[in-house]
Amino acid sequence: MKSRQYLDWDAGVALTLVEKIASSRAGPVLLCLQAVQEKFGFVHDSAVALIAEACNVSRADVHGVLTFYADLRSTPPPAVPVRICASEACQAVGGRALKAAWVQLCADDSELAELTGTDEPIFCLGNCALGPAVMIDGELLGCVDVLRLREAVASACIVGGAVG
Ligand code: FES
């Protein structure tokens, strides 16, 4: 598992990115948002206007798409984002207990909490047979308990260099 490295926000790079997509496909707002997030880790406020102009739609249209999809974010991600599946199949095999244990672990360890940020619920990672499922820094893990989750975060930190 490796921690993602993102560029610092750069409107010029973002404009080049979205203009290339907007000129090559129809209805590209979502593709532009995904491309910006892939490059910078999130969709900067300035990207909304930039994408709206490149795609010839209103800012409200872009904002609507941005806020509709839970996977799109408008704030920088934590160093090692952790997302615990909150859907039924995972809840049936301990997802709620895992979430509660993780929240408690983060409450007891401020460094861990800062490193992983607030768990933003995600609804089904497509790994229902191996629940509870967790996405750690973009990598999918199944049959996760809190100790395995802690180890995976530590491993992501070592590989990605998030902590010394
Ligand atoms: S319900 Fe959790 S991965 Fe599908």
Side-chain angles (χ1 to χ4, degrees):
M1 184 178 314
K2 86 179 193 186
S3 185
R4 299 286 318 262
Q5 299 294 318
Y6 297 108
L7 297 180
D8 291 334
W9 172 249
D10 183 318
V13 171
L15 182 61
T16 301
L17 191 64
V18 300
E19 282 183 341
K20 184 176 175 186
I21 294 168
S23 66
S24 63
R25 298 183 175 103
V29 171
L30 180 57
L31 295 174
C32 289
L33 289 166
Q34 290 173 321
V36 167
Q37 181 161 303
E38 179 70 20
K39 184 71 80 178
F40 301 103
F42 73 109
V43 180
H44 192 280
D45 287 345
S46 303
V48 172
L50 198 144
I51 291 170
E53 182 157 337
C55 296
N56 197 27
V57 297
S58 72
R59 291 179 189 190
D61 289 335
V62 177
H63 183 74
V65 176
L66 174 59
T67 55
F68 180 79
Y69 291 101
D71 283 343
L72 294 173
R73 56 180 311 130
S74 56
T75 56
V80 183
V82 171
R83 301 185 78 185
I84 299 170
C85 179
S87 284
E88 290 80 1
C90 284
Q91 287 189 5
V93 292
R96 281 188 188 154
L98 172 62
K99 169 85 176 187
W102 182 248
V103 167
Q104 185 60 55
L105 197 59
C106 289
D108 295 341
D109 184 342
S110 61
E111 188 176 330
L112 179 64
E114 183 177 337
L115 192 65
T116 59
T118 302
D119 168 50
E120 297 167 17
I122 192 163
F123 297 95
C124 194
L125 293 162
N127 197 37
C128 313
L130 298 173
V134 178
M135 184 78 76
I136 302 172
D137 199 20
E139 299 287 330
L140 181 62
L141 283 183
C143 302
V144 179
D145 60 26
V146 74
L147 293 177
R148 186 157 182 242
L149 178 52
R150 181 70 185 94
E151 288 172 6
V153 168
S155 174
C157 291
I158 292 167
V159 172
V163 292

